[in-house]
Amino acid sequence: MKLSLVVPCYNEVENVAAFQQAVMDAFAGCGYAYEIVFVDDGSRDGTLGELKRLYAQQACPVSVVSFSRNFGKESGLYAGLEHAKGEYISLIDADLQQRPELVRQMVEILDNQPEFDMVAAYQDKRGDGKVLTFFKEGFYRLINRMSSVKLRADASDFRTFRRCVAESILRMPEYHRFSKGIFAWVGYPTCFIPYVACPRAAGTTKWSFRKLFRYAIDGIIGFSTAPLRLATYMGLLSAAAALVYLIVVLLQKLIWGIAVPGYATIIVLILFLGGMQLFCLGLIGEYVGKIFEQSKHRPVYLAREVLLHD
Ligand code: UDP
Ligand code: MG
């Protein structure tokens, strides 16, 4: 098997058959064997039935992993990698926003350029609104500053890589999976090619602003410990400020004999320091939470059914 297409699907009943057809069209006459590994991420709209139909039909080799509930796209990718048999593995969405024709080009690049182990598509033009773009840019600036892994702002999960990369990714069994960080962390020489995301074929996006925000926090917490140092810096800073203020107050008292009525100052300081302390506690809490989750060693996903083609 030359190529495995790993496709996470969550409520994509209208898309999966069209997706398979698009793949078959794109790879017609390619001269190598490929398979599609669909991962049904606990869909509630009959996606699984549709996938089973495609599996039984075997118009092209199809495997189906179905989860016991919704575990998220990242877990879906992990399960897909585990069951992919190809020498090259491609991650692609089921909604046809990412064209299978491009996968064929990615395969050609890997074939002809042994110096690359991974080909990643980056979005040439993003269709996001202004607010979202602002937040996304801010996020990448922040994480690239704080973390030793460097993320490309416009790179997507849409990529094709050799088996060695897949095996490296599978060796990262972390529970909170932030795939952009994982790709950057495993490294390997990567060739970036542009693509323009098409509009969704059917259905709606599964990402709300809230989910994206949570995902961004997971990314930062998962790939940087810099926020933990924030408390140290702020502590040092406020201690220094307190020292300066102490000297000022002492001088005032000794030289001019003024006893400062400091009600407002005290309230402001209490609020400020209290706020900072709670903020830092919350930050530490984020990390403790992650340690707690990870220390339970729960699996990244649970499969209810696995159908593998032969
Ligand atoms: N997806 C998934 N589990 C989820 C959410 C999404 O497997 O909990 C899949 C979804 O079916 C699609 C891909 O991940 O194939 C990308 O999702 P979506 O199109 O909603 O994201 P967008 O393209 O808007 O970033
Ligand atoms: Mg999409």
Side-chain angles (χ1 to χ4, degrees):
M1 186 70 62
K2 168 109 168 168
L3 172 72
S4 300
L5 292 131
V6 168
V7 194
C9 312
Y10 178 51
N11 295 345
E12 302 281 5
V13 66
E14 297 121 312
N15 289 330
V16 284
F19 174 83
Q20 188 198 37
Q21 192 54 51
V23 170
M24 283 165 43
D25 293 344
F27 284 90
C30 64
Y32 49 78
Y34 63 89
E35 62 168 0
I36 308 181
V37 182
F38 285 111
V39 182
D40 168 45
D41 187 11
S43 303
R44 276 168 304 209
D45 69 342
T47 300
L48 182 58
E50 189 68 3
L51 291 179
K52 281 187 177 163
R53 194 177 64 76
L54 297 179
Y55 171 79
Q57 220 174 28
Q58 293 290 339
C60 71
V62 168
S63 293
V64 179
V65 181
S66 112
F67 285 1
S68 61
R69 64 169 169 86
N70 180 248
F71 280 88
K73 177 183 176 183
E74 312 284 318
S75 307
L77 294 179
Y78 188 87
L81 288 183
E82 273 191 332
H83 291 93
K85 300 177 190 153
E87 189 191 322
Y88 297 163
I89 290 143
S90 182
L91 310 180
I92 181 169
D93 290 352
D95 56 10
L96 287 170
Q97 284 191 286
Q98 306 166 336
R99 304 300 309 177
E101 290 81 12
L102 202 62
V103 179
R104 198 164 163 176
Q105 285 177 31
M106 291 174 167
V107 171
E108 269 162 35
I109 294 178
L110 287 179
D111 273 344
N112 299 326
Q113 291 173 266
E115 67 271 27
F116 290 120
D117 287 327
M118 173 144 64
V119 184
Y122 67 89
Q123 273 197 48
D124 219 4
K125 282 183 227 85
R126 261 192 208 268
D128 296 334
K130 278 210 175 74
V131 181
L132 200 56
T133 309
F134 171 79
F135 275 103
K136 282 191 175 170
E137 279 173 3
F139 166 71
Y140 283 106
R141 237 183 321 211
L142 198 68
I143 194 164
N144 281 335
R145 221 186 181 147
M146 293 199 299
S147 170
S148 55
V149 298
K150 295 288 166 258
L151 305 188
R152 242 189 102 122
D154 45 8
S156 62
D157 288 356
F158 182 26
R159 40 185 88 211
T160 304
F161 39 77
R162 296 184 204 279
R163 186 138 270 282
C164 56
V165 181
E167 263 147 31
S168 304
I169 294 174
L170 287 173
R171 282 177 59 194
M172 299 174 77
E174 48 215 79
Y175 188 74
H176 294 273
R177 305 187 70 76
F178 177 68
S179 57
K180 285 191 167 138
I182 290 177
F183 292 131
W185 192 88
V186 296
Y188 293 101
T190 304
C191 170
F192 286 95
I193 58 171
Y195 89 106
V196 180
C198 314
R200 228 173 193 285
T204 51
T205 175
K206 276 88 202 173
W207 290 97
S208 58
F209 185 77
R210 223 185 92 230
K211 260 182 145 178
L212 275 178
F213 191 75
R214 195 59 246 172
Y215 187 62
I217 301 271
D218 275 354
I220 292 177
I221 302 285
F223 284 88
S224 165
T225 49
L228 285 175
R229 250 166 275 144
L230 202 66
T232 319
Y233 295 144
M234 285 195 302
L236 282 176
L237 206 71
S238 56
L243 202 70
V244 172
Y245 191 61
L246 178 77
I247 294 171
V248 172
V249 172
L250 271 181
L251 285 181
Q252 278 179 334
K253 175 86 182 147
L254 291 178
I255 299 173
W256 297 292
I258 315 170
V260 194
Y263 180 69
T265 324
I266 289 175
I267 295 293
V268 167
L269 279 181
I270 288 179
L271 285 180
F272 176 73
L273 290 180
M276 284 301 153
Q277 281 167 355
L278 285 180
F279 177 70
C280 290
L281 260 184
L283 260 181
I284 297 171
E286 286 281 340
Y287 284 91
V288 174
K290 294 280 188 290
I291 299 170
F292 176 59
E293 294 284 354
Q294 193 68 39
S295 68
K296 288 188 278 195
H297 293 297
R298 290 201 177 149
V300 174
Y301 70 91
L302 288 176
R304 205 174 138 254
E305 226 177 331
V306 179
L307 303 168
L308 297 179
H309 70 84
D310 27 55

